[in-house]
Amino acid sequence: MTPAVLGLHIGGSKTHAVRSELDSDPGQGTEPSNEAPLEITEASANLSSVGHQGADAVLRRIAAAVGDGVQAVCAGAAGADTPASRAVLSALLTERFPGARVEVVHDTRIVLAAADLDAGAVLVAGTGSVAWGRNREGREARSGGYGYLLGDEGGGYSVVRDAVREALREYYAGLEPGTMVSALLAATASADALQLMDLFYAKPEPDHWAGLAPLVLDLAVEGDPAALRIQAEAAHSLATLARQVLGELGLDLPLVMAGGLLVNQEQLAGAVARKVALEDPSLIRILGHAPVHGAVKLARQLIDP
C-alpha cells in the first residue's frame, strides 16, 4: 500500500483514527498525497478506562482497518500522564504497526498541533478536563486532568455527577423533581433519586455518565435554574484550569478550547471565555476541526522533523 502516517486521538469515550497517505516519491518528503484520508471511529482505547486487553482489542481492529504501509504513528491519549502509561500504549502500537515510528503524547499536545500553533495554551473539556500549554521559550505547564476520582472538574462526568447530587438534594428536601432532575430520571429509567444513586454506583464508567452532560447543559440554555448552577460551576472550574496555565506561561498566549463540551456547548464555552478574561479576547478560540489532525501532523514530523 501507499506509505502513510496514522494519527490517533484516544479520548475517554472513543478513539478517532486518521490514516494520511504520503507522496510515494521519496524526493517529495512527507507531503500528503491527493488521496482522501481514511477516518475510523472506534471505542475508547484509554488504558485507565478499558484496561490493557480492551485497549489492545480496539487497536487491533484499527490496525486491520488501516492496513499496511504505516510508517509513523502518533497517538494523543487522554490519561497518558506517566512514562509507564505511555510506554504500555507505545508497546501496543508497536506490536500492531511493526516497523513504524511510534510516539504517544497527552491529548492536549495534539490539540495545539491541530490549531497550527507551536506555543499556546489548551483547555479540553470532554469526559474529563485538563489544561496544558507551552510558551515561546519551550516551557510547559499543566493543570488538572487527574481522572474522575481525583479531579476532572468541569468535564462531562463532573457535570452529570453534580446533577445526580441535585436529584438527591431535592429528594431529601421533600421537593418534587425539577425539570433537570426529571429529565435525568427519564434518561436513566430511574423511578426516583435513590434508584438513580444506585445506578450511578453500579455503573461507574465515566464515559457512560459523561454522555448525559449535554442533557444538563441544554437545559441550562433553556434557563433551568439547577442546570444553570451546574453550568456556572463547570465554567468556573474550567476557567480556573486555563488561568493557572496561562498565569505560569504568559497571558499573551493564545488559548485553544477543545473537547465535546466546549466545542458543542456555546453557552458554556462563552462563560469560560468570560471568566478567563484575557485582555485580548481574540486570543481565545474554539478548535475548528478534530484534534486527531494534530496527531497526523505530529506523526508526519516523526518522519520528516
Side-chain angles (χ1 to χ4, degrees):
M1 296 183 69
T2 306
V5 297
L6 180 68
L8 295 170
H9 179 206
I10 301 174
S13 58
K14 67 180 181 180
T15 299
H16 189 188
V18 170
R19 174 192 170 110
S20 181
E21 308 295 333
L22 302 176
D23 194 302
S24 58
D25 181 354
Q28 298 300 312
T30 59
E31 291 300 314
S33 76
N34 292 325
E35 296 184 44
L38 171 66
E39 293 198 40
I40 301 164
T41 300
E42 257 286 359
S44 177
N46 187 302
L47 287 167
S48 61
S49 299
V50 302
H52 187 283
Q53 290 186 337
D56 187 44
V58 171
L59 296 177
R60 186 188 308 117
R61 293 195 295 271
I62 289 174
V66 165
D68 299 328
V70 174
Q71 295 185 350
V73 180
C74 177
D81 298 310
T82 65
S85 64
R86 290 191 292 271
V88 171
L89 186 53
S90 180
L92 291 176
L93 289 167
T94 298
E95 182 179 354
R96 296 301 161 200
F97 300 95
R101 298 180 185 180
V102 172
E103 182 177 32
V104 176
V105 299
H106 194 271
D107 61 346
T108 49
R109 295 174 183 263
I110 67 172
V111 171
L112 196 64
D116 290 323
L117 293 172
D118 294 320
V122 169
L123 176 65
V124 178
T127 299
S129 63
V130 64
W132 170 84
R134 180 174 58 223
N135 66 14
R136 296 173 186 89
E137 290 73 44
R139 190 160 61 89
E140 299 182 6
R142 172 177 161 168
S143 181
Y146 309 133
Y148 75 103
L149 291 178
L150 296 174
D152 281 353
E153 292 88 351
Y157 177 85
S158 173
V159 164
V160 178
R161 180 181 58 198
D162 285 350
V164 174
R165 287 172 174 163
E166 174 64 17
L168 291 165
R169 185 195 70 79
E170 292 179 7
Y171 178 86
Y172 283 112
L175 302 173
E176 288 295 316
T179 301
M180 182 195 71
V181 171
S182 296
L184 186 59
L185 293 175
T188 57
S190 299
D192 56 28
L194 297 184
Q195 187 176 1
L196 176 62
M197 179 175 67
D198 287 342
L199 181 61
F200 194 78
Y201 279 106
K203 191 175 180 63
E205 295 87 351
D207 59 316
H208 170 76
W209 294 99
L212 294 171
L215 178 152
V216 177
L217 296 174
D218 287 347
L219 285 171
V221 174
E222 296 177 13
D224 178 75
L228 280 169
R229 288 196 300 272
I230 292 173
Q231 178 181 263
E233 182 63 29
H236 173 77
S237 296
L238 294 172
T240 299
L241 295 177
R243 283 200 306 267
Q244 182 172 335
V245 169
L246 288 165
E248 292 185 37
L249 298 180
L251 296 176
D252 60 338
L253 291 172
L255 172 65
V256 182
M257 298 197 294
L261 290 195
L262 291 172
V263 170
N264 298 318
Q265 296 291 334
E266 183 178 350
Q267 184 166 281
L268 174 64
V272 173
R274 289 190 296 273
K275 288 177 179 293
V276 173
L278 295 180
E279 285 189 18
D280 183 357
S282 69
L283 289 173
I284 303 177
R285 70 181 82 169
I286 299 288
L287 187 66
H289 46 268
V292 70
H293 296 292
V296 171
K297 181 179 178 180
L298 294 178
R300 196 168 287 128
Q301 291 175 4
L302 292 175
I303 301 174
D304 188 13

